Amino acid sequence: MQTDPFMPKAPPHIPAELIVPFDFRGDKEYSNDPHKRLDSLRDHHRAFYTPFPRGMGGQGVWVFTRAEDIRAVLKDPQTFASGGLRPFAKAIGEDWTLIPVDLDPPIHSQFRTLLNPVFSPKSMKSMELVILERAEEMTTALTDQKEVDFVPVFARPYPVSIFLELLGLPLDGMEDFIEIEENILQNSGDAQIAAIRQLRDYLAGQIDDRRRNRGDDLISFAVHAEVAGRPLTDDEVMGICVMMFIGGLDTVTSTLGYHFLHLARHPEEQQRLRNHPSLIPGAVEELLRVYNVVTTGRRATRDVEIAGVRIRAGDLLALPTTLASRDPNECPHASEVDLDRESAGHSAFGFGPHRCIGSHLARRELTAALTAWTTRLPMFRLKEATIPRSSGSGVIALESLPLVFL
Ligand code: HEM
């Protein structure tokens, strides 16, 4: 029985004992330490229903907290669909789709087959030089600083600059892109809608240009590609470009934030990476395992039972990848960073058909950033009296991260 009059109502088919009023967008403990807060939910519930909506829609969600259940849902796209859950285009009265995340099989696989080679380890090797250059330029600019707010100064612009390169867009658009990104991903209402329009208009111009002037970039590739024996429509090219914007910026920014927060709080580990840079790629994997940032969503396509709870067709699910690789059932001392851990695998890039296509690019970005900071800049720690705050129901992000150089 719900007693709080301010709590949104759960639909009648949800058993009262499974209702936990957890608000991804307003929970104080989540804001103070999202990873710990999600762990505490898992300690008490294998699955629960929160009547608080998580995204743009107004519906509550089932939350699954164990690795085995999260994996099972993400690997079953027939029962748990991804399509139609991210109404970006609808918000501006259009109907293109984010490709490929907002598609379901079999169409999803056609687009993955098209895009996979573009993001393969081999293709991403060609981005290596640009990534290293950006990491070095941006750290060189900090050499005389005594302190820095890591989020606006490094973690946000760095992946934006790499995204611009990937899409063949001019670097002088950087400031505009950062503003658009902040408005789309962290704002709501009119500001968010205006930013989606601004992004769409800008990209439409670029897509039109690439039809006439083919370049060596992702937009040119998409404009001249074929899927199922036909060329892509402008809407499909738009869906791919906006997807890279949504998928490849905030995720890297917030991942960097938690990795650097951890190293700022653990000087002995930071020093170890400085002394032994060869440990950095392994450290990136372990940090990715402990500090996952994405909670993704699915919609049940039929009535189904999972983790002992009955889900009805149309119910929404929230799957915190954050919890999957911190699950003590699958990994000892799962919530602790251990740089000597034998590779434990992790869920930071998801599971199943929608597993992150940008994982190879992301790994290169994270490794280059950590290498540049630990080889070119002095030791850093968290500025005194700072309490880092997090927000975000889809991608958890630090709002700011003031660091002091020693
Ligand atoms: C540390 C950084 C990143 C993290 C933690 C991350 C995480 C994820 C996760 C968990 C998914 C699965 C979503 C789902 O199942 O609903 C995903 C999908 C995706 N990611 Fe990433 N991502 C990162 C970086 C990137 C980058 C750099 C790009 C590209 C530029 C990218 C592009 C995509 C795309 C296109 C998808 C959708 C794939 C599909 O639906 O088939 N991501 N990402």
Side-chain angles (χ1 to χ4, degrees), residues 86 88-90 92-103 111 114-115 163 167 169 177 180 184 195-211 218-225 230-247:
R86 300 156 190 90
F88 274 91
K90 278 203 181 63
I92 55 168
E94 298 185 0
D95 63 0
W96 41 268
T97 328
L98 290 180
I99 296 179
V101 81
D102 229 13
L103 297 176
F111 278 94
L114 174 74
L115 292 170
F163 164 85
L167 269 70
L169 303 175
F177 262 91
I180 293 175
I184 292 184
I196 298 176
R197 280 215 177 91
Q198 208 182 340
L199 177 66
R200 188 271 322 266
D201 289 349
Y202 179 74
L203 289 173
Q206 295 291 330
I207 292 168
D208 191 43
D209 173 71
R210 296 312 189 286
R211 292 221 179 272
L218 183 62
I219 301 182
S220 298
F221 169 83
V223 159
H224 297 280
R230 57 157 183 90
L232 271 61
T233 64
D234 275 359
D235 275 358
E236 286 168 339
V237 178
M238 179 67 73
I240 291 174
C241 295
V242 178
M243 173 75 236
M244 297 311 153
F245 183 90
I246 306 287

Side-chain angles (χ1 to χ4, degrees), residues 119 124 126-138 154-171 174 177-178 217-218 244 248-249 252 256 358 360-369:
F119 289 93
M124 286 301 116
S126 65
M127 293 287 290
E128 179 89 16
L129 203 60
V130 174
I131 295 172
L132 290 174
E133 265 174 26
R134 293 288 149 72
E136 288 183 6
E137 278 162 25
M138 291 181 69
F154 187 88
R156 197 160 288 290
Y158 172 62
V160 171
S161 73
I162 292 157
F163 164 85
L164 294 175
E165 181 74 30
L166 184 70
L167 269 70
L169 303 175
L171 263 181
M174 181 99 155
F177 262 91
I178 292 174
D217 55 68
L218 183 62
M244 297 311 153
L249 301 189
V252 177
L256 280 169
H360 305 295
L361 177 59
R363 285 188 163 109
R364 283 180 194 280
E365 291 181 52
L366 299 171
T367 304

